[in-house]
Amino acid sequence: MTNAGLPASVEALRRVREDPHRLGHRSHGGDAPAAGAGHGTTGPAQKRILVGYGFWIYLLSDIVIFSCFFAAFAVQREASAGGPTIAQIVDVRRVGFETAALLLSSYTCMLSFAATNARSILWTQVFLALTGFLGLLFVLLELHEFVELAAQDITPQRSGMLTSFFGLVGLHGLHVTAGGLWLATMMAQIQIKGFRPEIIHRLICFNLFWHALDIVWIGIFTIVYLMGVRA
């Protein structure tokens, strides 16, 4: 009997009977599992892989949190309790400057990682410094907006709409502030330790975090500010 007519499962059983040691093992060719990838006998995954998975889980959980705040704002959007509406507190010009600063910071952040790939400490630091400056400008503009609103007695306690507004926008601003502190520590590590593998991996994580904040801000800018002005 030829092997051509055998089903795949029967053929596999035949090969195992002929050589039981083949079970659970692969050849040493290109299909062999990579060491430290967590595949079978190669052992547990490397720390770099575990940290990468953990960071993606963190980003996804952060998106879930922001989604809850977006949903709260959508529900409370008209709940002004006789106070100012979202259209009355929005300063489109200032928000436009905030948006431009944050989106430009995303571009300089990308350039910093391009300089990292070229192993240029100088340009990596220059572009990271520009990213930090633009992020700081964004936070200061947002803080100025909150201070002006508070001076007009427009505070989170006044209505459900304002509570959700300050909560959503403030949460994003808090993330940008934390990202700026993270950026400062990364600049110090690069200057002292250079481009070690773990430093580069942290820079990748930082880039993902910073770009994720830009995506969230586009949602805030569109749903809260632009749609709020048109309401």
Side-chain angles (χ1 to χ4, degrees), residues 111-151:
L111 291 178
S112 73
F113 194 69
T116 297
N117 288 332
R119 297 300 186 269
S120 172
I121 291 181
L122 173 62
W123 286 108
T124 298
Q125 296 287 54
V126 167
F127 287 123
L128 284 178
L130 286 174
T131 302
F133 171 76
L134 291 169
L136 178 62
L137 178 61
F138 171 85
V139 172
L140 290 177
L141 287 172
E142 193 170 272
L143 183 62
H144 185 259
E145 177 186 13
F146 284 1
V147 170
E148 280 193 351
L149 292 175

Side-chain angles (χ1 to χ4, degrees), residues 61-71 167-169 171-173 175 212-213 216 220:
S61 66
D62 227 19
I63 295 299
V64 171
I65 293 173
F66 274 110
S67 299
C68 294
F69 276 75
F70 272 111
L168 176 57
V169 179
L171 178 66
H172 180 268
H175 276 70
L213 292 183
V216 172
I220 294 175

Side-chain angles (χ1 to χ4, degrees), residues 147-161:
V147 170
E148 280 193 351
L149 292 175
Q152 302 171 37
D153 197 29
I154 302 176
T155 58
Q157 299 88 347
R158 190 162 180 179
S159 68
M161 184 277 293

Side-chain angles (χ1 to χ4, degrees), residues 44-85:
Q46 298 173 356
K47 181 180 179 181
R48 178 180 61 85
I49 296 176
L50 293 175
V51 170
Y53 276 115
F55 190 76
W56 275 109
I57 291 173
Y58 159 71
L59 282 182
L60 290 174
S61 66
D62 227 19
I63 295 299
V64 171
I65 293 173
F66 274 110
S67 299
C68 294
F69 276 75
F70 272 111
F73 179 80
V75 171
Q76 297 292 328
R77 184 175 177 178
E78 304 298 332
S80 60
T85 63

